[in-house]
Amino acid sequence: MKDQKLGINTICTHVGEIKDEQFKGAISPLYMSSSYAYEGVDVKRYPRYFNTPNQEALNKKVAMLEKCEAGLIFGSGMAAVSTTLLAFLNKGDHVVVQKTIYGGAYNFIVEEFPKFGIEFSFTQGFSEADFDSEIKDNTKVIYVETPSNPLMLITDLEMISRISKDRGLVSMIDNTFASPINQTPSDFGIDIMLHSATKYMGGHSDICAGAVAASEEHIKKIWNVGKNLGGSLSDYTVWLLERSMKTMAIRVKAQNRNAKKMAKWLESHAMVTKVYYPGLKSHPDYELAKKQMRGFSGMLSFELNSDIDANQFMQSLQLVKQSMSLAGIESTILSPTKTSHALLSADERAHQGIADGLLRFSVGIENKNDLIADFEQAFEKVAKKQLV
Ligand SMILES: *Cc1c(COP(=O)(O)O)cnc(C)c1O
């Protein structure tokens, strides 16, 4: 069978799997060894070299999911992001970074880059002119994240790829919110795909991991810095992540469907003023999202009427958990103001369009009617409290 022709569920289930020659078991055996022979072998294996049998197996699956030559699994999303940025930026280099990226990536750049003498600029917006105007003679990398957190704004991948190629820059995308199921940035010519595998790849809120996919040449550069920084993932967790990724496509598609229904339902609710979901026609980037995404993900945000206490609303929910992080099969909700964007000033939050009444909803795989019933009863509770 030629791998390139495989369907998405087959890739998730089988690509990279290790054959159990000894016992003929159905799944990849787990090799926990941190010590391997060095004489008479093709590859010198060591966990921090990202090349134990289980690490190599998962590297292959990630590469194929992103339609790339190679992949690497890391100990966290931030290990993948930090290692990859440092692999392509030297002292005196400059990187153009999209406005509103993941808080941890933002902190890494503003807190660590000055120590390395690496320069950076954040764009004012998402348009070609916004990116173009930040490019300097020493720019080496363009870094984007789409859909963005928490407003699910979309960056035009074809445009980013084109301006990067025109100027000889390396383009990087944090593809976490879309997952490889909904978006394949390499189709548009983006060079490097990054993931927090803690999110959709893991999918069960029980694994912290990261992933990168790119060409062989780019992965070699990332590997070289990666072995120095030491951000590899333990084999046991690699093996658990492989198990999780077998169901990624069916999970994510169920989450896409639920999120679209919930977005539509919330949009028509009297106590909700705004819904941000790229799969809604009312979303400013709907057409662009349709062009570059196959599904719109399980992530959405909404703003409550200003006279509703957002905290009371969240605490009234019974099925949907108030919780950090995202993309698990269970639905969770949070206030960006109190979590992911808490370190920003109130002014900066307002500048990014993040209202205090904004809630980010990570839609799980529960039955849609149960999610709606939970929201209904929470809306009723806060409405009654207002009357008292
Ligand atoms: C969570 C997240 C990260 C960081 O990943 P960790 O696994 O927490 O290190 C990076 N980017 C996005 C978009 C995320 O949601």
Side-chain angles (χ1 to χ4, degrees), residues 75-81 101-105 143 145 147 149 174-177 194-199 207-210 325-326 360:
S76 70
M78 280 313 301
V81 168
I101 55 163
Y102 176 72
Y143 184 96
E145 181 181 319
N149 179 25
D174 183 332
N175 203 24
T176 301
F177 266 46
L194 295 151
H195 285 275
S196 168
T198 313
K199 315 298 165 51
I207 283 171
C208 181
S325 204
L326 59 115
R360 193 192 72 190

Side-chain angles (χ1 to χ4, degrees), residues 16-188:
E17 69 190 342
I18 305 168
K19 282 211 170 64
D20 177 1
E21 302 288 0
Q22 195 174 3
F23 299 109
K24 313 286 181 202
I27 61 159
S28 297
L30 167 58
Y31 294 94
M32 283 300 287
S33 191
S34 61
S35 181
Y36 288 86
Y38 64 91
E39 287 285 7
V41 293
D42 300 339
V43 190
K44 291 192 179 65
R45 297 184 194 274
Y46 187 60
R48 187 164 45 75
Y49 295 168
F50 301 82
N51 66 359
T52 63
N54 292 92
Q55 287 172 336
E56 272 191 349
L58 203 50
N59 292 345
K60 278 185 204 153
K61 199 193 291 288
V62 165
M64 186 156 297
L65 282 166
E66 287 288 15
K67 293 200 203 162
C68 289
E69 287 171 358
L72 283 181
I73 296 293
F74 282 83
S76 70
M78 280 313 301
V81 168
S82 55
T83 303
T84 301
L85 280 167
L86 290 177
F88 291 89
L89 292 165
N90 294 315
K91 187 176 171 184
D93 288 345
H94 173 260
V95 51
V96 174
V97 186
Q98 172 189 305
K99 168 191 178 178
T100 69
I101 55 163
Y102 176 72
Y106 175 88
N107 291 339
F108 169 66
I109 290 167
V110 301
E111 289 173 14
E112 306 300 332
F113 278 15
K115 298 180 197 167
F116 292 92
I118 298 169
E119 297 168 22
F120 52 88
S121 314
F122 289 94
T123 64
Q124 293 295 312
F126 294 75
S127 72
E128 179 160 356
D130 288 321
F131 282 92
D132 238 0
S133 62
E134 301 297 342
I135 297 174
K136 301 181 187 182
D137 289 344
N138 57 341
T139 303
K140 295 287 156 57
V141 171
I142 296 189
Y143 184 96
V144 303
E145 181 181 319
T146 180
S148 75
N149 179 25
L151 299 181
M152 315 301 148
L153 300 172
I154 307 294
T155 312
D156 186 336
L157 293 177
E158 183 279 326
M159 175 272 285
I160 294 295
S161 163
R162 178 166 42 78
I163 62 176
S164 301
K165 287 191 165 57
D166 281 355
R167 312 279 196 119
L169 313 178
V170 174
S171 52
M172 298 180 187
I173 177 177
D174 183 332
N175 203 24
T176 301
F177 266 46
S179 88
I181 308 307
N182 288 325
Q183 181 166 272
T184 308
S186 61
D187 280 348
F188 299 90

Side-chain angles (χ1 to χ4, degrees), residues 294-318:
R294 288 181 294 274
F296 302 108
S297 103
M299 299 302 301
L300 63 91
S301 294
F302 58 98
E303 265 173 43
L304 296 171
N305 283 352
S306 57
D307 51 348
I308 298 175
D309 184 324
N311 249 345
Q312 269 180 9
F313 173 76
M314 285 190 292
Q315 278 157 17
S316 303
L317 290 165
Q318 293 171 354

Side-chain angles (χ1 to χ4, degrees), residues 222-383:
I222 297 165
W223 178 85
N224 211 42
V225 176
K227 75 173 192 327
N228 293 336
L229 293 180
S232 58
L233 185 65
S234 131
D235 278 303
Y236 182 59
T237 315
V238 168
W239 182 81
L240 282 175
L241 184 57
E242 185 199 348
R243 186 174 85 160
S244 295
M245 285 175 64
K246 292 180 186 191
T247 56
M248 178 166 60
I250 54 175
R251 279 191 274 111
V252 169
K253 284 177 188 174
Q255 286 168 295
N256 289 346
R257 278 196 301 276
N258 265 356
K260 194 165 185 179
K261 285 174 187 155
M262 291 307 292
K264 280 190 176 152
W265 183 80
L266 283 165
E267 196 171 40
S268 66
H269 200 284
M271 286 173 143
V272 175
T273 49
K274 249 186 209 161
V275 179
Y276 300 91
Y277 186 65
L280 285 180
K281 289 207 177 76
S282 58
H283 191 283
D285 300 325
Y286 173 70
E287 289 301 329
L288 184 55
K290 260 202 329 195
K291 184 183 134 202
Q292 65 188 35
M293 299 180 80
R294 288 181 294 274
F296 302 108
S297 103
M299 299 302 301
L300 63 91
S301 294
F302 58 98
E303 265 173 43
L304 296 171
N305 283 352
S306 57
D307 51 348
I308 298 175
D309 184 324
N311 249 345
Q312 269 180 9
F313 173 76
M314 285 190 292
Q315 278 157 17
S316 303
L317 290 165
Q318 293 171 354
L319 194 61
V320 178
K321 290 192 187 78
Q322 201 177 335
S323 158
M324 295 261 280
S325 204
L326 59 115
I329 51 168
E330 64 288 322
S331 292
T332 59
I333 194 162
L334 62 70
S335 154
T337 303
K338 300 218 159 141
T339 55
S340 53
H341 293 68
L343 294 178
L344 298 181
S345 67
D347 274 357
E348 182 54 28
R349 274 198 300 273
H351 176 67
Q352 295 196 11
I354 297 161
D356 283 349
L358 182 79
L359 298 180
R360 193 192 72 190
F361 182 18
S362 170
V363 185
I365 62 166
E366 299 92 342
N367 293 94
K368 172 202 69 174
N369 290 345
D370 296 330
L371 292 174
I372 289 179
D374 195 26
F375 271 63
E376 284 281 24
Q377 63 82 25
F379 278 128
E380 268 167 38
K381 256 185 215 155
V382 289

